[in-house]
Amino acid sequence: MGRPRKLPETEAIDIALRLFWKQGYDRTSVADLSAALGVGPSSLYNAFGSKQELFRRAIEHYAATYTTFIDHALERDLDVEAAVRGLLREATMVYASPDSPPGCAVMQSAGAASPDDSEAAAITLEVKAEVERRLALLIERASESHGTPLSAPPKLLAKYLNGTLRGLSQLVIDGADLEELMAICDVAAGACVAGST
Amino acid sequence: MGRPRKLPETEAIDIALRLFWKQGYDRTSVADLSAALGVGPSSLYNAFGSKQELFRRAIEHYAATYTTFIDHALERDLDVEAAVRGLLREATMVYASPDSPPGCAVMQSAGAASPDDSEAAAITLEVKAEVERRLALLIERASESHGTPLSAPPKLLAKYLNGTLRGLSQLVIDGADLEELMAICDVAAGACVAGST
DNA sequence: ACTTTTTTGTAGTGATAGCTTCAAAACCAT
DNA sequence: ATGGTTTTGAAGCTATCACTACAAAAAAGT
């Protein structure tokens, strides 16, 4: 019924995501957001309720769109080392892509803060846990499917890779070049299988 | 000459460090600092000039005090894998220690921000680069001293470990327990030498 | 045309940010 | 004591924060 929206919701979320991704949650003000969206703050609050809620929607959008590297590895039924190498490389390509802000949006927006003292960190907690779960699933399946001996249990390797992904994001932020990063992905992938290369 | 300081400078820096470490640079206000130090803001500005300068001093203090794990590994002349394992474990113990805020102060205080849009991140850049330089030196010496074949050049492994340390800090923040973290250190250490375990 | 419903732009809310002003206070030297 | 020097505490500065009140604007239903 009423007056139509100036900006479709999905488009607004995408723009907001990129701002949070680039500047972080704390350093992105509602004024920044409404300027980037080209609407007044009242529109923003009418549509999303609060800065926190808009952030939650943005991170949900990110998780659904930019963490598909795990699914890609699952679909291809590779051995453990190849799967991990591919997954890390693909994630790193996203982190270093010129088409989106540098690094991982979950890390960049919520910073290094603990869920206790940052609203944003609490919101990203679930996303990080879900990624780790899917990583464990991937490793377990790849190991069983190819009979590859692992250097540690799947759940632990998933946590290791979770940390590795965060590290890669940080290295991108500090200006590491893509060639170095790809080599680092290979080193990290090698760590997952027992006695390789 | 004049009136004596209520709080010695070194003590003030240590208290400030712990606040920045725990809350992050942005979320730590001058009011927080002056409350923790038990002095008015004018004393703080008289002694340090600005919040930024106090932060710089705090991070210098941290770098000198809490990154000695590299020197410890250098002194003991271990082989590459043992040196890296020990260094990662020691760093993780600091990150998870109940005597200091969780995680790495450089990460926690400057967050995941890029040096371009955060004063704090720019200040920590040099510390991170110095750590990486010393890591490369350690790996090179350990490799030469024991004739261990590396999985990649020392500088690249140093960057890998730099990322790994950041990842470990983040895993601590998200509540990983010490046993898991130690096992992750071992996995990461194994990745540095050619064809181990 | 008129009512209803929703969104919009403008202006402004109290709270808090980093930082400064300035006189009183606390020391040393004479 | 007195004068010189530095630090301290209290109050206040401007700017910005997330957020809201309110009425005009733009659609749909009748």
Side-chain angles (χ1 to χ4, degrees):
Chain A
M1 194 140 172
R3 179 170 173 172
R5 291 222 170 133
K6 200 175 181 182
L7 199 65
E9 196 172 82
T10 60
E11 204 169 323
I13 288 176
D14 192 68
I15 293 175
L17 168 63
R18 285 164 184 274
L19 251 188
F20 286 130
W21 195 343
K22 183 183 166 200
Q23 305 184 342
Y25 179 81
D26 285 336
R27 279 184 301 277
T28 301
S29 69
V30 174
D32 286 341
L33 288 164
S34 68
L37 298 178
V39 298
S42 64
S43 302
L44 201 153
Y45 279 89
N46 179 64
F48 300 102
S50 70
K51 182 185 169 186
Q52 272 194 59
E53 273 311 308
L54 173 54
F55 179 69
R56 191 189 310 276
R57 300 285 300 273
I59 288 299
E60 277 171 13
H61 172 57
Y62 176 79
T65 313
Y66 290 93
T67 68
T68 50
F69 49 83
I70 304 177
D71 308 290
H72 294 165
L74 266 170
E75 285 163 9
R76 295 177 58 197
D77 190 39
L78 302 164
D79 67 272
V80 175
E81 187 168 1
V84 170
R85 182 170 52 229
L87 158 181
L88 290 176
R89 283 177 169 241
E90 191 175 336
T92 302
M93 303 286 272
V94 172
Y95 297 164
S97 166
D99 298 331
S100 59
C104 161
V106 169
M107 274 226 66
Q108 287 306 112
S109 59
S114 91
D116 295 333
D117 28 53
S118 165
E119 314 156 343
I123 290 173
T124 57
L125 239 196
E126 183 50 41
V127 174
K128 293 186 276 189
E130 175 67 20
V131 163
E132 198 170 303
R133 256 178 264 133
R134 284 158 65 204
L135 284 172
L137 185 70
L138 166 68
I139 292 167
E140 194 168 11
R141 283 205 192 158
S143 172
E144 282 177 8
S145 173
H146 291 76
T148 322
L150 299 170
S151 59
K155 280 189 179 177
L156 190 111
L157 288 178
K159 200 172 278 289
Y160 163 72
L161 291 178
N162 192 4
T164 302
L165 285 169
R166 315 258 197 111
L168 284 166
S169 172
Q170 285 288 103
L171 293 176
V172 168
I173 296 302
D174 284 355
D177 65 65
L178 201 55
E179 210 171 329
E180 286 178 311
L181 295 167
M182 292 296 113
I184 288 173
C185 290
D186 298 350
V187 170
C192 296
V193 297
S196 77
T197 308
Chain B
M1 191 137 175
R3 177 171 175 173
R5 291 220 171 138
K6 200 173 179 180
L7 198 66
E9 196 172 82
T10 59
E11 206 169 323
I13 288 176
D14 192 67
I15 294 174
L17 168 62
R18 283 164 185 273
L19 250 187
F20 285 130
W21 193 344
K22 182 182 165 201
Q23 304 184 342
Y25 179 82
D26 286 336
R27 277 183 300 277
T28 302
S29 70
V30 174
D32 287 340
L33 289 164
S34 68
L37 299 179
V39 298
S42 65
S43 301
L44 201 153
Y45 278 90
N46 178 64
F48 300 103
S50 70
K51 182 184 168 185
Q52 270 194 60
E53 275 310 308
L54 173 54
F55 179 68
R56 192 190 310 278
R57 300 285 300 275
I59 288 298
E60 278 170 14
H61 171 56
Y62 177 78
T65 311
Y66 291 92
T67 68
T68 49
F69 50 83
I70 304 177
D71 307 289
H72 294 165
L74 265 169
E75 285 162 10
R76 295 177 57 193
D77 190 39
L78 302 164
D79 67 272
V80 175
E81 187 168 359
V84 169
R85 181 172 49 229
L87 159 181
L88 290 177
R89 281 175 169 243
E90 191 176 336
T92 302
M93 301 285 273
V94 172
Y95 298 164
S97 165
D99 298 330
S100 57
C104 161
V106 168
M107 274 226 68
Q108 286 306 111
S109 59
S114 94
D116 294 334
D117 27 52
S118 163
E119 315 154 344
I123 289 173
T124 57
L125 239 196
E126 182 50 42
V127 174
K128 293 186 276 189
E130 175 66 19
V131 163
E132 197 171 304
R133 255 178 264 131
R134 285 158 66 203
L135 284 172
L137 185 69
L138 167 68
I139 293 167
E140 196 169 10
R141 283 204 193 161
S143 172
E144 282 177 7
S145 173
H146 292 76
T148 322
L150 298 169
S151 60
K155 280 189 180 177
L156 191 112
L157 287 179
K159 199 172 277 291
Y160 163 72
L161 290 178
N162 191 6
T164 302
L165 284 169
R166 316 258 198 110
L168 284 166
S169 171
Q170 285 288 104
L171 292 176
V172 169
I173 296 303
D174 285 356
D177 65 64
L178 201 54
E179 211 171 331
E180 285 178 312
L181 294 167
M182 293 294 111
I184 288 173
C185 290
D186 298 349
V187 170
C192 295
V193 297
S196 77
T197 307

